[in-house]
Amino acid sequence: MKILVGLGNFGDEYKGHRHNIGFMAIEDIAENIGVSVWKKKFKSLTAEGIIGDSKIFLVKPQTYMNLSGNAVREVLEFYNLKAEDVIVFHDDIDLERGTVRVKQGGGTGGHNGLKSLDEQIGINYTRVRLGIGRPVTTEGEIVRGDAVTNFVLSNFAKADKEWLEKIIALCTKNVVLLAEGKNTDFSNNVKCGVRGMEN
């Protein structure tokens, strides 16, 4: 069984935030496989389903971002699984918006949800990095510090709607490859799809 985790903050006030793109991806995957009921369990909203020949368990932690690992650890302990069985969808400000990258292990890039996961389950889970880009000043300079926090904790702009919907749809279309452990094939298919969007 694979555990698919979307990172985000719970509550309607956070629903459209850039930091919640992980929730958006998991919700789209759930809808695509016919999941309509989410249960409160493991400090999360959870659902079960089948993708291809793989049983999957969908998780949206309800602990706020910086405690996401607590919820995922409970899932792994209950099912006697390891970090290698976990696939996490999350926002990444260090990737250009509309870019998707996959890696297993690695650093957190300052992402509080990933920091929590690393602390609670180790680093050997698969990360699906959904690029939202960094904010820039009117002079084109990259901003840091509080401005970054304000950026990720604010809603996507209307201009983001097209690329946002398309990369989430590409993730959903190709998620069966992640469930089968074919991360490279997933990456290649999504990259091709993104390039097709640009042409």
Side-chain angles (χ1 to χ4, degrees):
M1 183 167 69
K2 292 292 184 181
I3 309 299
L4 272 60
V5 180
L7 294 186
N9 288 309
F10 69 93
D12 289 342
E13 67 269 35
Y14 299 104
K15 190 171 184 180
H17 285 186
R18 293 176 176 89
H19 222 18
N20 274 38
I21 193 173
F23 274 8
M24 297 173 194
I26 286 293
E27 288 164 359
D28 195 69
I29 291 167
E31 183 177 354
N32 186 65
I33 64 173
V35 169
S36 58
V37 177
W38 292 83
K39 298 179 180 179
K40 290 185 178 180
K41 197 173 184 180
F42 308 120
K43 299 185 179 74
S44 305
L45 290 178
T46 67
E48 297 181 36
I50 302 291
I51 295 177
D53 295 325
S54 303
K55 182 176 180 180
I56 56 100
F57 193 75
L58 302 165
V59 179
K60 294 192 296 180
Q62 303 291 288
T63 55
Y64 288 117
M65 186 69 80
N66 63 344
L67 296 174
S68 300
N70 295 0
V72 178
R73 187 192 71 243
E74 287 193 12
V75 177
L76 295 188
E77 289 176 347
F78 184 84
Y79 288 107
N80 196 27
L81 297 173
K82 299 178 180 178
E84 289 84 352
D85 300 309
V86 177
I87 301 165
V88 178
F89 293 79
H90 67 90
D91 60 298
D92 194 318
I93 62 173
D94 291 320
L95 287 181
E96 182 180 349
R97 64 181 190 171
T99 302
V100 180
R101 295 285 184 270
V102 178
K103 68 175 182 177
Q104 185 173 10
T108 66
H111 193 291
N112 287 331
L114 298 183
K115 287 179 183 178
S116 178
L117 284 164
D118 285 4
E119 291 168 0
Q120 296 295 327
I121 70 170
I123 67 170
N124 293 323
Y125 54 92
T126 296
R127 303 146 197 248
V128 183
R129 305 164 61 203
L130 306 172
I132 61 172
R134 277 189 179 269
V136 296
T137 67
T138 52
E139 292 78 25
E141 296 178 358
I142 294 175
V143 299
R144 304 185 186 280
D146 289 344
V148 172
T149 301
N150 293 336
F151 176 73
V152 299
L153 293 178
S154 61
N155 289 339
F156 280 102
K158 289 182 180 179
D160 295 323
K161 185 175 187 292
E162 184 175 359
W163 67 257
L164 175 62
E165 290 180 349
K166 286 183 177 178
I167 66 166
I168 288 177
L170 285 167
C171 286
T172 296
K173 179 180 178 181
N174 293 286
V175 71
V176 63
L177 297 172
L178 292 176
E180 294 172 352
K182 299 175 181 177
N183 293 355
T184 300
D185 290 341
F186 172 89
S187 295
N188 290 338
N189 284 5
V190 172
K191 285 180 186 176
C192 287
V194 170
R195 282 198 292 269
M197 288 160 38
E198 296 169 348
N199 296 332

